[in-house]
């Protein structure tokens, strides 16, 4: 456990000046402020639609969620998985890392865990900024009805689902980035995967849930369904695609360990 | 076994079908500076990686401080510091941050970083990004990183690679300092014998994965027997005469005769003998095969 903790602290220390780390903070901030700005500058149009409070929240958080879940989340995961591993590829530090008196599995697990934590931070901030900016909009445009519905449960559930749905992609990309030090291969495969995921997720292909890249899209599609529920916060978290994502994550995480112990040493 | 910092017993290692290390039996005494010599591709780096358990050795072939490495990986690595190939430095961090990161990994207080920077003379460049370091500075930072944990055993893979003469001297002095004042054992690999000769107390010469020589530096020197070259007229007569007088002739060319060197007195006596018998000796020269040639001989013949 101590090895794991130490390695994790070191991962933070190493990457605190890298884009992968800051993107986890800047991405949600930028996207949420853009969406909020849109709702602020276009407030007349939105008000003319006379949405009930729930629907207003749905419109608003759906705007961030839509861009984010379909495109930005997969690409952030791809880039970040690359970045976390590339820090060792680029500096040729794998062997030094594994020559430290630390448990090998902990070193690898800490790296993976660090990537998971970054996604968590990123999505947590998305939810938090959505919530905060929603209430800020209420202050700026008093005619809005954001204050008449509490979206926290919906936000938490959606972003938890997205978080879990991204773990499958993360594990694939993590292994690809372990194997190859260059950017193009994991990026290329991830790009094709993401496009495939979006298409299969959206056309509602029966087996789309087997492709990890489609999981965020599937989660978002289920959000459209949630609107129709009498209580929109009632949708289940652990659906088929979430289980699949978690199974992918677990299996690939274990495979990745064997790859890293074999590969890093040459 | 207790006296060796590193002992390998008939170590074999293959990459696929290719044997990289063959029947290698290293014995590195505690407190020594062990020069691990060999041409490029001889298996030096592979051996060092095995000593760090980065490459897994067969069971019961590698012992560090008397302990089998595969079964005591973490305990062993705690006592070892290493610089393998290029120094492993995170380019986007400063020199100091690189050291702090290593301190974090080793559970050592951060202020050790400053101490290490001072030791390798990088205090002024502490807050400079390490990508901007010169090769020599990187190498020194690499050594500092290897020293952070205050290890008893240091494995340095070609530490003077790419350094300018000043840098080479600094590293050399640092190694001597560490071994004599701080009681550390150092295994330093190199493909340059001249480099090792100045610092090492012990030498191992490896080529194509085999250990061709192992012993103290003096034992290596003894291998290179001094010879006396005599430039003399009437060369064939001189040869016949010397053989008759009981000298062993090592080599003869059309101008020179080479005999084993024993002592200056004997050389003088030989000179007198030749002159008294009517030969003209134009020069007597003490020829010592330098270690560089010896090294080449050893590695070439095998």
């Amino acid at each position: 456990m101590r090895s794991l903790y130490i390695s994790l602290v070191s991962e933070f220390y190493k990457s605190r000046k890298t884009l992968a780390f800051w993107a986890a903070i800047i991405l949600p901030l930028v996207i949420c402020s853009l969406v909020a700005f849109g709702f602020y500058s276009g407030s007349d149009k939105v008000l003319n639609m006379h949405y009930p409070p729930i629907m207003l929240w749905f419109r608003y958080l759906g705007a961030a969620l839509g861009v984010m879940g379909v495109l930005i989340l997969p690409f952030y995961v791809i880039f970040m998985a690359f970045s976390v591993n590339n820090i060792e590829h680029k500096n040729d530090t794998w062997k030094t890392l594994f020559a430290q008196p630390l448990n090998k599995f902990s070193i690898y697990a800490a790296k993976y865990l660090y990537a998971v934590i970054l996604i968590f931070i990123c999505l947590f901030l998305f939810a938090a900024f959505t919530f905060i900016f929603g209430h800020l909009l209420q202050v700026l445009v008093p005619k809005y009805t954001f204050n008449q519905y509490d979206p926290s449960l919906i936000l938490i559930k959606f972003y938890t689902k997205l978080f879990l749905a991204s773990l499958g992609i993360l594990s694939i990309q993590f292994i690809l980035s372990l194997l190859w030090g260059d950017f193009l291969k994991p990026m290329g495969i991830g790009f094709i995967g993401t496009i495939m995921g979006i298409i299969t997720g959206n056309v509602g292909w029966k087996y789309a849930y087997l492709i990890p890249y489609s999981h965020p899209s599937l989660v978002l599609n289920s959000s459209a369904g949630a609107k129709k529920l009498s209580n929109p916060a009632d949708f289940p978290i652990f659906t088929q695609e979430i289980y699949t994502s978690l199974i992918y994550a677990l299996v690939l995480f274990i495979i990745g360990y064997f790859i890293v112990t074999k590969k890093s040493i040459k | 076994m207790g006296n060796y910092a590193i002992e390998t017993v008939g170590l074999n290692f293959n990459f696929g079908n290719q044997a990289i290390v063959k029947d290698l039996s290293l014995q590195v005494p505690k407190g020594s500076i062990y020069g691990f010599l060999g041409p490029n591709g001889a298996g030096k780096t592979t051996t060092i990686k095995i000593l760090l358990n980065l490459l897994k050795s067969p069971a019961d072939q590698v012992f560090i401080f008397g302990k089998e490495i595969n079964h005591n990986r973490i305990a062993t690595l705690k006592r070892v510091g290493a610089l393998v190939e290029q120094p492993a430095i995170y380019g986007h961090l400063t020199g100091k941050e690189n050291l702090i990161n290593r301190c974090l990994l080793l559970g050592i207080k951060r202020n050790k970083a400053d101490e290490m920077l001072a030791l390798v003379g990088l205090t002024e460049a502490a807050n400079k990004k390490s990508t901007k370091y010169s090769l020599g500075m990187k190498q020194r930072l690499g050594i500092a990183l290897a020293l952070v944990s205050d290890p008893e055993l240091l494995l340095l893979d070609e530490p003077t690679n790419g350094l300018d003469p000043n840098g080479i001297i600094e590293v050399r002095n640092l190694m001597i300092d560490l071994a004599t004042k701080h009681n550390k054992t150092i295994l330093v690999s190199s493909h340059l014998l001249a480099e090792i000769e100045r610092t090492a107390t012990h030498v191992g010469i490896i080529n194509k994965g085999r250990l061709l020589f192992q012993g103290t530096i003096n034992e290596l020197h003894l291998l290179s027997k001094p010879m006396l070259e005599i430039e003399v007229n009437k060369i064939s007569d001189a040869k016949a005469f010397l053989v008759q007088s009981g000298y062993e002739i090592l080599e003869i060319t059309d101008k020179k005769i080479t005999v084993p060197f024993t002592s200056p007195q004997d050389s003088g006596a030989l000179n007198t003998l030749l002159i008294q018998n009517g030969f003209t000796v134009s020069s007597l020269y003490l020829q010592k095969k330098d270690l560089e040639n010896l090294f080449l001989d050893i590695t070439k013949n095998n």
Side-chain angles (χ1 to χ4, degrees), chain B residues 181-233:
Chain B
K181 290 188 192 150
H182 302 274
N183 234 344
K184 299 200 186 302
T185 309
I186 302 174
L187 179 131
V188 51
S189 82
S190 179
H191 55 271
L192 299 172
L193 181 71
E195 166 105 30
I196 296 291
E197 214 186 327
R198 308 274 176 96
T199 46
T201 56
H202 293 69
V203 177
I205 296 178
I206 185 176
N207 191 28
K208 293 179 189 158
R210 277 184 204 285
L211 197 61
L212 304 176
F213 172 86
Q214 178 167 251
T216 64
I217 195 92
N218 286 332
E219 282 168 333
L220 184 64
H221 276 291
L222 284 179
L223 274 187
S224 62
K225 286 190 191 123
M227 289 167 293
L228 191 65
E229 279 182 6
I230 309 158
E231 230 177 278
V232 66
N233 66 341

Side-chain angles (χ1 to χ4, degrees), chain A residues 172-192:
Chain A
I172 292 181
Q173 292 300 137
F174 200 82
I175 284 189
L176 296 178
S177 303
L178 269 180
L179 284 173
W180 293 306
D182 69 327
F183 186 53
L184 282 177
K185 288 189 197 101
M187 187 67 198
I189 295 173
F191 186 78
I192 295 168

Side-chain angles (χ1 to χ4, degrees), chain A residues 73 123 154-167 215-216 218-220 222-223 235-242 245:
Chain A
L73 178 65
L123 292 177
I154 291 185
L155 276 173
I156 291 168
K157 285 179 86 172
F158 263 136
Y159 279 101
T160 305
K161 268 192 103 159
L162 262 188
F163 170 66
L164 297 174
S166 66
L167 296 182
H215 295 161
L218 290 173
V219 168
L220 289 179
S222 72
S223 79
F235 62 92
I237 289 183
F238 288 95
T239 44
Q240 194 179 34
E241 68 270 14
I242 300 298
S245 173

Side-chain angles (χ1 to χ4, degrees), chain A residues 19-31:
Chain A
L19 189 61
F21 177 74
W22 284 102
I25 296 162
I26 291 167
L27 264 183
L29 185 66
V30 169
I31 292 176

Side-chain angles (χ1 to χ4, degrees), chain A residues 8-266:
Chain A
L8 196 58
V9 172
S10 161
E11 286 300 326
F12 267 102
Y13 188 81
K14 275 188 289 201
S15 58
R16 74 203 146 90
K17 283 184 183 172
T18 61
L19 189 61
F21 177 74
W22 284 102
I25 296 162
I26 291 167
L27 264 183
L29 185 66
V30 169
I31 292 176
C32 290
S33 6
L34 281 176
V35 171
F37 180 75
F39 270 71
Y40 174 68
S41 59
S43 58
D44 298 342
K45 269 188 230 160
V46 182
L47 285 169
N48 279 340
M49 307 291 283
H50 299 290
Y51 288 120
I54 296 185
M55 288 326 283
L56 181 63
W57 271 107
F58 255 96
R59 281 280 308 181
Y60 163 69
L61 69 87
L65 208 59
V67 193
M68 158 65 201
V70 175
L71 270 180
I72 295 179
L73 178 65
F75 281 111
Y76 176 62
V77 169
I78 290 165
F79 167 69
M80 199 256 308
F82 160 77
S83 178
V84 167
N85 287 301
N86 185 249
I87 209 173
E88 314 296 343
H89 286 306
K90 188 175 66 189
N91 299 305
D92 197 14
T93 38
W94 280 114
K95 56 180 184 291
T96 316
L97 201 57
F98 282 95
Q100 298 309 311
L102 296 167
N103 182 287
K104 280 187 189 176
F105 182 72
S106 301
I107 297 171
Y108 163 73
K111 240 181 203 317
Y112 185 86
L113 198 59
Y114 176 67
V116 172
I117 291 173
L118 280 188
I119 299 181
F120 181 82
I121 292 176
C122 181
L123 292 177
F124 174 79
L125 289 178
F126 257 107
F129 286 138
T130 306
F131 186 83
I132 294 166
F133 287 153
H135 287 279
L136 188 68
L137 277 172
Q138 182 64 46
V139 175
L140 295 172
V141 185
K143 281 184 190 162
Y144 272 143
T145 52
F146 281 112
N147 54 353
Q148 290 169 32
Y149 181 79
D150 179 11
S152 21
L153 188 62
I154 291 185
L155 276 173
I156 291 168
K157 285 179 86 172
F158 263 136
Y159 279 101
T160 305
K161 268 192 103 159
L162 262 188
F163 170 66
L164 297 174
S166 66
L167 296 182
I169 306 180
L170 174 69
S171 298
I172 292 181
Q173 292 300 137
F174 200 82
I175 284 189
L176 296 178
S177 303
L178 269 180
L179 284 173
W180 293 306
D182 69 327
F183 186 53
L184 282 177
K185 288 189 197 101
M187 187 67 198
I189 295 173
F191 186 78
I192 295 168
T194 305
I195 301 295
M196 221 164 72
I198 294 173
I199 295 170
T200 52
N202 282 328
V203 299
W205 184 45
K206 208 163 73 174
Y207 298 109
Y209 73 92
L210 291 175
I211 305 170
Y213 295 94
S214 72
H215 295 161
S217 291
L218 290 173
V219 168
L220 289 179
N221 290 346
S222 72
S223 79
K227 272 190 252 181
K228 293 169 197 139
L229 296 172
S230 55
N231 179 2
D234 255 357
F235 62 92
I237 289 183
F238 288 95
T239 44
Q240 194 179 34
E241 68 270 14
I242 300 298
Y243 282 122
T244 320
S245 173
L246 290 176
I247 290 167
Y248 266 110
L250 184 71
V251 172
L252 293 172
F253 171 71
I254 293 164
I255 293 173
Y257 173 62
F258 290 102
I259 291 177
V260 84
T261 48
K262 285 267 180 293
K263 175 185 167 70
S264 59
I265 43 191
K266 288 226 169 143

Side-chain angles (χ1 to χ4, degrees), chain A residues 2 6-7 9-10 13-18 87-88 90-104 107 265-266, chain B residues 15 49 52-55 73-74 77-78 84-94 96-97 100-102 104-107 110:
Chain A
R2 191 174 159 273
I6 282 180
S7 307
V9 172
S10 161
Y13 188 81
K14 275 188 289 201
S15 58
R16 74 203 146 90
K17 283 184 183 172
T18 61
I87 209 173
E88 314 296 343
K90 188 175 66 189
N91 299 305
D92 197 14
T93 38
W94 280 114
K95 56 180 184 291
T96 316
L97 201 57
F98 282 95
Q100 298 309 311
L102 296 167
N103 182 287
K104 280 187 189 176
I107 297 171
I265 43 191
K266 288 226 169 143
Chain B
F15 275 135
K49 284 183 180 172
L52 287 168
N53 204 232
L54 286 170
L55 298 171
R73 178 180 167 269
I74 292 180
L77 290 179
K78 275 188 182 161
V84 191
E85 293 167 314
Q86 307 302 312
I89 293 167
Y90 296 104
H92 65 289
L93 300 178
T94 67
K96 191 177 174 179
E97 286 168 337
I100 290 177
N101 180 53
R102 185 62 62 85
L104 287 174
L105 282 174
L106 295 166
R110 284 172 177 226

Side-chain angles (χ1 to χ4, degrees), chain B residues 114-165:
Chain B
D114 292 319
E115 204 182 298
M116 287 297 123
L117 286 166
L119 181 73
V120 295
L122 283 176
T123 307
E124 277 173 32
N127 295 315
K128 199 167 149 185
K129 265 199 180 184
S130 52
T131 29
K132 292 187 180 142
Y133 279 17
S134 68
L135 197 57
M137 291 162 89
K138 283 184 185 166
Q139 208 74 18
R140 278 186 279 160
L141 181 59
I143 294 174
L145 285 166
L147 284 170
V148 166
S149 63
D150 202 14
E152 295 158 69
L153 172 64
L154 260 181
L155 307 176
L156 304 176
D157 192 9
E158 315 220 343
T160 52
N161 227 354
L163 295 189
D164 57 16

